Amino acid sequence: MKFDEVAREFSEDKARQGGSLGWKIRGALDPAFEKAAYDLEPSTTGNSKYVEVKTGFGYHIIMIEGRR
């Protein structure tokens, strides 16, 4: 199953639209979320590399598509 399909099926919020948070800068996200995201290498939805993390906002499955 592709990452965006998983996001739509299992998410309870914004991820129902595919889960994209757009481009973010360091310091703009929850520290635990940000560390997990910046430690992860970019991938694609067809061949995704992802990480799971728990923050004060709940559980997250993160995939990074690219960096600027």
Side-chain angles (χ1 to χ4, degrees):
M1 185 175 276
K2 292 183 179 179
F3 184 85
D4 53 341
E5 293 169 349
V6 172
R8 283 189 196 99
E9 183 176 342
F10 295 104
S11 295
E12 298 176 357
D13 57 11
K14 180 177 181 167
R16 288 194 183 274
Q17 290 105 28
S20 178
L21 296 177
W23 297 101
K24 300 294 178 194
I25 60 171
R26 286 187 190 265
L29 301 167
D30 177 273
F33 187 102
E34 188 170 282
K35 180 176 179 352
Y38 279 96
D39 287 348
L40 192 61
E41 65 182 84
S43 62
T44 64
T45 57
N47 186 21
S48 59
K49 297 175 184 174
Y50 60 89
V51 65
E52 302 167 22
V53 64
K54 182 181 179 189
T55 70
F57 298 99
Y59 292 92
H60 311 276
I61 301 171
I62 304 169
M63 185 194 89
I64 303 300
E65 291 183 299
R67 291 200 167 82
R68 290 185 184 173

Coordinates of all heavy atoms in Angstrom, one line a residue:
M1 N 0.8 -1.2 0.0 CA 0.0 0.0 0.0 C 0.9 1.2 0.0 O 1.9 1.3 0.7 CB -0.9 0.0 1.2 CG -1.9 1.1 1.3 SD -3.1 1.0 2.7 CE -4.3 -0.1 2.0
K2 N 0.6 2.3 -0.8 CA 1.3 3.5 -0.9 C 1.1 4.4 0.4 O 0.0 4.3 1.0 CB 1.0 4.2 -2.1 CG 1.4 3.6 -3.4 CD 1.0 4.4 -4.6 CE 1.5 3.7 -5.8 NZ 1.2 4.5 -7.0
F3 N 2.1 5.2 0.7 CA 2.0 6.0 1.9 C 0.7 6.9 1.9 O 0.0 7.0 2.9 CB 3.2 6.9 2.0 CG 3.3 7.8 3.2 CD1 3.7 7.2 4.4 CD2 2.8 9.1 3.2 CE1 3.7 8.0 5.6 CE2 2.8 9.8 4.4 CZ 3.3 9.3 5.5
D4 N 0.4 7.6 0.8 CA -0.8 8.5 0.8 C -2.1 7.7 1.0 O -3.0 8.2 1.5 CB -0.8 9.3 -0.5 CG -0.7 8.5 -1.8 OD1 -0.3 7.4 -1.8 OD2 -1.1 9.1 -2.8
E5 N -2.1 6.4 0.5 CA -3.3 5.6 0.7 C -3.4 5.3 2.2 O -4.5 5.3 2.8 CB -3.2 4.3 -0.1 CG -3.3 4.6 -1.6 CD -2.9 3.3 -2.4 OE1 -2.4 2.3 -1.9 OE2 -3.2 3.4 -3.6
V6 N -2.3 4.9 2.9 CA -2.3 4.7 4.3 C -2.8 5.9 5.1 O -3.6 5.8 6.0 CB -0.9 4.2 4.8 CG1 -0.9 4.1 6.3 CG2 -0.5 2.9 4.1
A7 N -2.3 7.1 4.7 CA -2.6 8.3 5.4 C -4.1 8.5 5.3 O -4.8 8.9 6.3 CB -1.9 9.5 4.8
R8 N -4.7 8.4 4.1 CA -6.1 8.6 3.9 C -7.0 7.6 4.7 O -8.0 7.9 5.3 CB -6.5 8.5 2.5 CG -6.1 9.7 1.7 CD -6.7 9.6 0.2 NE -6.0 10.6 -0.6 CZ -5.0 10.3 -1.4 NH1 -4.6 9.1 -1.6 NH2 -4.5 11.2 -2.1
E9 N -6.5 6.3 4.8 CA -7.3 5.3 5.4 C -7.3 5.4 7.0 O -8.3 5.2 7.6 CB -6.8 3.9 5.0 CG -7.7 2.8 5.6 CD -7.3 1.4 5.1 OE1 -6.6 1.3 4.1 OE2 -7.6 0.4 5.8
F10 N -6.1 5.6 7.5 CA -5.9 5.5 9.0 C -5.9 6.8 9.7 O -5.9 6.8 11.0 CB -4.7 4.7 9.3 CG -4.8 3.3 8.8 CD1 -4.1 2.9 7.7 CD2 -5.5 2.4 9.5 CE1 -4.2 1.6 7.3 CE2 -5.6 1.1 9.1 CZ -5.0 0.7 7.9
S11 N -5.9 8.0 9.1 CA -5.8 9.3 9.7 C -7.1 9.8 10.2 O -8.1 9.5 9.7 CB -5.1 10.3 8.8 OG -3.8 9.9 8.6
E12 N -7.0 10.6 11.3 CA -8.2 11.2 11.8 C -8.3 12.7 11.6 O -9.1 13.4 12.1 CB -8.2 11.0 13.3 CG -8.3 9.5 13.7 CD -8.2 9.3 15.2 OE1 -8.0 10.2 15.9 OE2 -8.3 8.1 15.6
D13 N -7.3 13.3 10.8 CA -7.3 14.7 10.6 C -6.9 15.0 9.2 O -7.3 14.4 8.2 CB -6.4 15.4 11.6 CG -5.0 14.8 11.6 OD1 -4.6 14.1 10.7 OD2 -4.2 15.1 12.5
K14 N -6.0 16.0 9.0 CA -5.6 16.6 7.7 C -5.0 15.5 6.8 O -5.1 15.6 5.6 CB -4.5 17.6 8.0 CG -4.0 18.2 6.7 CD -3.0 19.3 7.0 CE -2.5 19.9 5.7 NZ -1.7 21.1 5.8
A15 N -4.5 14.4 7.4 CA -3.9 13.4 6.5 C -4.9 12.7 5.7 O -4.6 12.0 4.7 CB -3.1 12.4 7.4
R16 N -6.2 12.8 6.0 CA -7.2 12.2 5.1 C -7.1 12.8 3.7 O -7.6 12.2 2.7 CB -8.6 12.5 5.7 CG -8.9 11.7 6.9 CD -10.4 11.7 7.3 NE -10.6 11.0 8.5 CZ -10.8 9.6 8.5 NH1 -10.8 8.9 7.5 NH2 -11.0 9.1 9.7
Q17 N -6.5 14.0 3.5 CA -6.3 14.5 2.2 C -5.0 14.1 1.6 O -4.5 14.7 0.6 CB -6.4 16.0 2.2 CG -7.8 16.5 2.5 CD -8.0 17.0 3.9 OE1 -7.0 17.5 4.5 NE2 -9.2 16.9 4.4
G18 N -4.3 13.2 2.2 CA -3.0 12.7 1.7 C -1.8 13.0 2.7 O -0.8 12.5 2.5
G19 N -2.1 13.8 3.7 CA -1.1 14.0 4.8 C 0.0 15.1 4.6 O 0.8 15.2 5.4
S20 N 0.0 15.8 3.5 CA 1.0 16.7 3.2 C 1.0 17.9 4.1 O -0.1 18.5 4.3 CB 1.0 17.2 1.8 OG 2.0 18.2 1.5
L21 N 2.1 18.2 4.8 CA 2.2 19.4 5.6 C 2.9 20.5 4.8 O 3.0 21.6 5.4 CB 3.1 19.1 6.9 CG 2.5 18.1 7.8 CD1 3.5 17.8 9.0 CD2 1.1 18.5 8.3
G22 N 3.3 20.3 3.6 CA 4.0 21.3 2.8 C 5.4 21.5 3.3 O 6.0 20.6 4.1
W23 N 6.1 22.5 2.9 CA 7.5 22.8 3.2 C 7.6 23.4 4.6 O 6.8 24.3 4.9 CB 8.2 23.7 2.2 CG 8.2 23.1 0.9 CD1 7.4 23.4 -0.2 CD2 9.2 22.1 0.4 NE1 7.8 22.6 -1.3 CE2 8.9 21.8 -0.9 CE3 10.2 21.4 1.0 CZ2 9.6 20.9 -1.7 CZ3 10.9 20.5 0.3 CH2 10.6 20.2 -1.1
K24 N 8.4 22.9 5.5 CA 8.6 23.4 6.8 C 10.1 23.8 7.1 O 11.0 23.2 6.4 CB 8.2 22.4 7.9 CG 6.7 21.9 7.7 CD 5.8 23.1 8.1 CE 4.4 22.7 7.9 NZ 3.5 23.8 7.9
I25 N 10.3 24.7 8.0 CA 11.6 25.1 8.4 C 11.9 24.5 9.8 O 11.0 24.3 10.6 CB 11.9 26.6 8.3 CG1 10.9 27.3 9.3 CG2 11.7 27.1 6.9 CD1 11.2 28.8 9.4
R26 N 13.2 24.4 10.1 CA 13.6 23.9 11.5 C 13.0 24.9 12.5 O 13.1 26.1 12.3 CB 15.1 23.8 11.6 CG 15.6 22.6 10.9 CD 17.1 22.4 11.2 NE 17.7 21.5 10.3 CZ 17.9 20.2 10.6 NH1 17.5 19.7 11.8 NH2 18.5 19.3 9.8
G27 N 12.5 24.3 13.6 CA 11.9 25.1 14.6 C 10.4 25.3 14.5 O 9.8 25.9 15.4
A28 N 9.8 24.9 13.4 CA 8.4 25.2 13.2 C 7.5 24.0 13.6 O 6.3 24.2 13.6 CB 8.2 25.4 11.7
L29 N 8.1 22.9 14.0 CA 7.3 21.7 14.4 C 7.6 21.3 15.8 O 8.6 21.7 16.4 CB 7.7 20.6 13.4 CG 7.5 20.8 11.9 CD1 8.1 19.8 11.1 CD2 6.0 20.9 11.6
D30 N 6.8 20.4 16.3 CA 7.0 19.7 17.6 C 8.5 19.1 17.6 O 8.8 18.5 16.6 CB 6.0 18.6 17.8 CG 6.2 17.9 19.1 OD1 7.0 16.9 19.1 OD2 5.6 18.3 20.1
P31 N 9.2 19.3 18.6 CA 10.6 18.8 18.6 C 10.8 17.3 18.3 O 11.7 17.0 17.6 CB 11.1 19.2 20.0 CG 10.3 20.3 20.5 CD 8.9 20.1 19.9
A32 N 10.0 16.5 18.9 CA 10.1 15.0 18.6 C 9.8 14.8 17.1 O 10.4 14.0 16.5 CB 9.2 14.2 19.5
F33 N 8.7 15.4 16.6 CA 8.3 15.2 15.2 C 9.5 15.7 14.3 O 9.9 15.1 13.3 CB 7.1 16.1 14.9 CG 6.5 15.8 13.6 CD1 5.4 15.0 13.4 CD2 7.0 16.5 12.5 CE1 4.8 14.9 12.1 CE2 6.4 16.3 11.2 CZ 5.3 15.5 11.1
E34 N 10.0 16.9 14.6 CA 11.0 17.5 13.8 C 12.3 16.6 13.8 O 12.9 16.4 12.7 CB 11.4 18.9 14.3 CG 12.3 19.7 13.4 CD 12.4 21.1 13.9 OE1 11.5 21.9 13.6 OE2 13.4 21.4 14.5
K35 N 12.7 16.1 14.9 CA 13.9 15.3 14.9 C 13.7 14.1 14.1 O 14.6 13.7 13.3 CB 14.3 14.8 16.4 CG 15.5 13.9 16.4 CD 15.9 13.6 17.8 CE 17.1 12.7 17.8 NZ 17.7 12.1 16.6
A36 N 12.6 13.4 14.2 CA 12.3 12.2 13.4 C 12.3 12.6 11.9 O 12.8 11.8 11.1 CB 11.0 11.6 13.8
A37 N 11.7 13.7 11.5 CA 11.6 14.1 10.1 C 12.9 14.4 9.5 O 13.2 14.0 8.4 CB 10.6 15.3 10.0
Y38 N 13.7 15.2 10.3 CA 15.0 15.6 9.7 C 16.1 14.4 9.7 O 17.0 14.5 9.0 CB 15.6 16.8 10.5 CG 15.0 18.1 9.9 CD1 13.9 18.7 10.5 CD2 15.5 18.7 8.8 CE1 13.3 19.8 10.0 CE2 14.9 19.8 8.3 CZ 13.9 20.4 8.9 OH 13.3 21.5 8.4
D39 N 15.8 13.4 10.5 CA 16.7 12.2 10.5 C 16.4 11.3 9.3 O 17.2 10.4 9.0 CB 16.6 11.4 11.8 CG 17.3 12.1 13.0 OD1 18.0 13.1 12.8 OD2 17.0 11.7 14.1
L40 N 15.2 11.5 8.7 CA 14.7 10.6 7.7 C 15.2 11.0 6.3 O 15.1 12.2 6.0 CB 13.2 10.5 7.7 CG 12.4 9.5 7.0 CD1 12.8 8.1 7.4 CD2 10.9 9.7 7.2
E41 N 15.6 10.1 5.5 CA 16.0 10.5 4.1 C 14.7 10.6 3.2 O 13.8 9.9 3.4 CB 17.0 9.6 3.5 CG 16.6 8.2 3.3 CD 17.7 7.3 2.8 OE1 18.5 6.8 3.6 OE2 17.8 7.1 1.6
P42 N 14.7 11.5 2.2 CA 13.6 11.6 1.3 C 13.3 10.3 0.5 O 14.2 9.5 0.2 CB 14.0 12.7 0.4 CG 15.0 13.5 1.1 CD 15.8 12.5 2.0
S43 N 12.0 10.1 0.2 CA 11.6 9.0 -0.6 C 10.3 9.4 -1.4 O 9.9 10.5 -1.3 CB 11.3 7.8 0.3 OG 10.3 8.0 1.2
T44 N 9.7 8.4 -2.0 CA 8.5 8.6 -2.8 C 7.4 7.8 -2.2 O 7.6 6.8 -1.5 CB 8.7 8.3 -4.3 OG1 9.0 6.9 -4.4 CG2 9.8 9.0 -4.9
T45 N 6.1 8.1 -2.6 CA 5.0 7.3 -2.1 C 5.0 5.9 -2.6 O 4.5 5.0 -1.9 CB 3.7 8.0 -2.4 OG1 3.6 8.2 -3.8 CG2 3.5 9.3 -1.7
G46 N 5.6 5.7 -3.8 CA 5.6 4.4 -4.4 C 6.7 3.5 -3.7 O 6.6 2.3 -3.8
N47 N 7.7 4.1 -3.1 CA 8.8 3.4 -2.5 C 9.2 4.1 -1.2 O 10.3 4.7 -1.1 CB 10.0 3.3 -3.5 CG 11.1 2.4 -2.9 OD1 10.9 1.6 -2.1 ND2 12.3 2.7 -3.4
S48 N 8.2 4.2 -0.3 CA 8.4 5.0 0.9 C 9.3 4.5 2.0 O 9.3 3.3 2.2 CB 7.0 5.4 1.4 OG 6.4 4.2 1.8
K49 N 10.0 5.5 2.6 CA 10.8 5.2 3.8 C 10.1 6.1 4.8 O 10.0 7.3 4.6 CB 12.3 5.6 3.6 CG 12.9 4.8 2.5 CD 14.3 5.3 2.3 CE 14.9 4.5 1.1 NZ 16.2 5.0 0.7
Y50 N 9.7 5.5 5.9 CA 8.9 6.3 6.9 C 9.4 6.0 8.3 O 10.1 5.0 8.5 CB 7.4 6.1 6.7 CG 7.0 4.6 6.9 CD1 6.7 4.2 8.1 CD2 7.0 3.8 5.8 CE1 6.3 2.8 8.3 CE2 6.6 2.5 5.9 CZ 6.2 2.0 7.2 OH 5.9 0.7 7.3
V51 N 8.9 6.8 9.2 CA 9.2 6.6 10.6 C 7.9 6.9 11.4 O 7.1 7.7 11.0 CB 10.4 7.5 11.1 CG1 10.1 9.0 11.0 CG2 10.8 7.2 12.5
E52 N 7.8 6.2 12.5 CA 6.6 6.5 13.4 C 7.2 7.2 14.6 O 8.2 7.0 15.1 CB 6.0 5.2 13.9 CG 5.6 4.3 12.7 CD 5.3 2.9 13.2 OE1 5.0 2.6 14.4 OE2 5.3 2.0 12.3
V53 N 6.4 8.2 15.1 CA 6.8 9.0 16.2 C 5.5 9.4 17.0 O 4.5 9.6 16.5 CB 7.6 10.2 15.8 CG1 6.8 11.2 15.0 CG2 8.2 10.9 17.0
K54 N 5.7 9.5 18.4 CA 4.6 9.9 19.2 C 5.0 11.3 19.8 O 6.1 11.5 20.3 CB 4.3 9.0 20.4 CG 3.2 9.4 21.2 CD 2.9 8.5 22.4 CE 1.8 9.0 23.2 NZ 1.6 8.3 24.5
T55 N 4.1 12.3 19.7 CA 4.3 13.6 20.2 C 3.1 13.9 21.1 O 2.2 13.1 21.3 CB 4.3 14.7 19.1 OG1 3.0 14.8 18.5 CG2 5.3 14.3 18.0
G56 N 3.1 15.1 21.7 CA 1.9 15.5 22.5 C 0.7 15.6 21.7 O -0.4 15.8 22.3
F57 N 0.8 15.6 20.4 CA -0.4 15.7 19.5 C -1.0 14.4 19.1 O -2.0 14.3 18.5 CB -0.1 16.5 18.3 CG 0.3 17.9 18.6 CD1 1.7 18.3 18.6 CD2 -0.6 18.9 18.8 CE1 2.1 19.6 18.9 CE2 -0.2 20.2 19.1 CZ 1.1 20.5 19.1
G58 N -0.2 13.3 19.4 CA -0.7 12.0 19.1 C 0.4 11.2 18.3 O 1.6 11.5 18.4
Y59 N 0.0 10.2 17.6 CA 1.0 9.3 16.8 C 1.0 9.8 15.4 O 0.0 10.3 14.8 CB 0.5 7.9 16.9 CG 0.6 7.3 18.2 CD1 -0.5 7.3 19.1 CD2 1.8 6.7 18.6 CE1 -0.4 6.7 20.4 CE2 1.9 6.1 19.9 CZ 0.8 6.1 20.8 OH 0.9 5.6 22.0
H60 N 2.2 9.8 14.8 CA 2.4 10.2 13.5 C 3.3 9.2 12.7 O 4.2 8.6 13.2 CB 3.2 11.6 13.5 CG 2.6 12.6 14.4 ND1 1.6 13.4 14.0 CD2 3.0 12.9 15.7 CE1 1.3 14.2 15.1 NE2 2.1 13.9 16.1
I61 N 3.0 9.1 11.4 CA 3.8 8.3 10.5 C 4.3 9.4 9.5 O 3.5 10.0 8.8 CB 3.0 7.2 9.8 CG1 2.4 6.3 10.8 CG2 3.9 6.5 8.8 CD1 1.5 5.3 10.2
I62 N 5.6 9.5 9.4 CA 6.2 10.6 8.6 C 7.0 10.0 7.4 O 7.7 9.0 7.6 CB 7.2 11.4 9.5 CG1 6.5 11.9 10.8 CG2 7.9 12.5 8.7 CD1 7.5 12.5 11.8
M63 N 6.8 10.6 6.3 CA 7.6 10.3 5.1 C 8.0 11.7 4.5 O 7.2 12.6 4.5 CB 6.7 9.6 4.0 CG 7.6 9.2 2.8 SD 6.6 8.7 1.4 CE 6.3 10.3 0.6
I64 N 9.2 11.8 4.2 CA 9.8 13.1 3.6 C 9.9 12.9 2.1 O 10.6 12.0 1.6 CB 11.2 13.4 4.2 CG1 11.1 13.5 5.7 CG2 11.8 14.6 3.6 CD1 10.1 14.5 6.3
E65 N 9.3 13.8 1.3 CA 9.4 13.7 -0.1 C 10.6 14.5 -0.7 O 11.1 14.2 -1.7 CB 8.1 14.3 -0.8 CG 6.9 13.4 -0.5 CD 5.7 14.0 -1.2 OE1 5.3 15.1 -0.9 OE2 5.1 13.3 -2.0
G66 N 11.1 15.5 0.0 CA 12.2 16.3 -0.5 C 12.6 17.3 0.5 O 11.9 17.6 1.5
R67 N 13.7 18.0 0.2 CA 14.2 19.1 1.1 C 14.7 20.2 0.2 O 15.1 20.0 -0.9 CB 15.4 18.6 1.9 CG 15.0 17.6 3.0 CD 16.1 17.6 4.1 NE 15.6 16.9 5.2 CZ 15.5 15.5 5.3 NH1 16.0 14.8 4.4 NH2 15.0 15.0 6.4
R68 N 14.6 21.4 0.7 CA 15.0 22.6 0.0 C 16.2 23.2 0.7 O 16.3 23.1 1.9 CB 13.9 23.7 0.0 CG 12.8 23.3 -1.0 CD 11.9 24.5 -1.0 NE 10.7 24.1 -1.8 CZ 9.7 24.8 -2.0 NH1 9.6 26.0 -1.4 NH2 8.7 24.4 -2.7

